[in-house]
Amino acid sequence: MQKSSAVILFDGVCNLCNGFVQFVIRHDSRGYFHFAALQSAEGQALLRAQGVTLPTTLDPDSVVLVEAGQVYTHSTAVLQIARHLSGLWPLLGAGVVVPRAWRDAAYRWVARNRYRWFGRQAACLLPTPELKSRFLSA
């Protein structure tokens, strides 16, 4: 992993989440982000190393960003991720002026319905050989 990089942890079986990862990869021209499924051993180890524990028996309800020793979840993670993307996406960072409770309420509403609206996969996303270096693995 690059010294100046961040890791996005995502629900590896969620179609919406996998689409989000593909979106980030397309708009991350510097290769700043690396990825791991929240359900993976690598994802859980990274969270433990940061002092964060998430229930593994429940479906994850948030994307998690680990950056510079900080852990961001829910809408704040998405806004932090947008700051590093190419194009106009960093402008989404202005969304921090919206109260976090409101942003997270909207985020959680989508998270609760994502499997119904977008479906889920039987197994976590497997990266293509070209993208394998961007994913954490043992």
Side-chain angles (χ1 to χ4, degrees), residues 1-134:
M1 192 164 54
Q2 294 173 285
K3 187 173 184 175
S4 60
S5 66
V7 178
I8 297 173
L9 302 173
F10 63 100
D11 180 351
V13 298
C14 168
N15 286 337
L16 175 62
C17 304
N18 286 322
F20 177 69
V21 167
Q22 295 301 320
F23 174 85
V24 170
I25 289 169
R26 281 193 312 275
H27 292 86
D28 178 19
S29 57
R30 296 181 301 130
Y32 179 71
F33 293 108
H34 288 81
F35 308 90
L38 280 162
Q39 297 91 334
S40 71
E42 295 80 13
Q44 289 296 307
L46 181 58
L47 287 175
R48 278 192 306 278
Q50 297 297 318
V52 176
T53 55
L54 295 177
T56 56
T57 57
L58 302 174
D59 294 324
D61 75 339
S62 179
V63 65
V64 177
L65 172 65
V66 179
E67 180 180 38
Q70 297 289 317
V71 177
Y72 303 96
T73 63
H74 300 88
S75 64
T76 304
V78 173
L79 295 176
Q80 289 291 111
I81 291 165
R83 288 181 38 233
H84 295 282
L85 301 180
S86 57
L88 298 176
W89 296 109
L91 296 176
L92 284 178
V96 298
V97 300
V98 176
R100 183 176 182 173
W102 295 358
R103 290 185 281 123
D104 283 351
Y107 184 102
R108 285 186 170 103
W109 178 70
V110 172
R112 275 191 309 274
N113 293 290
R114 71 189 186 278
Y115 293 145
R116 185 170 2 133
W117 295 341
F118 300 98
R120 68 188 296 167
Q121 300 175 22
C124 289
L125 169 76
L126 292 175
T128 63
E130 300 82 36
L131 295 176
K132 193 167 179 87
S133 67
R134 302 279 302 273

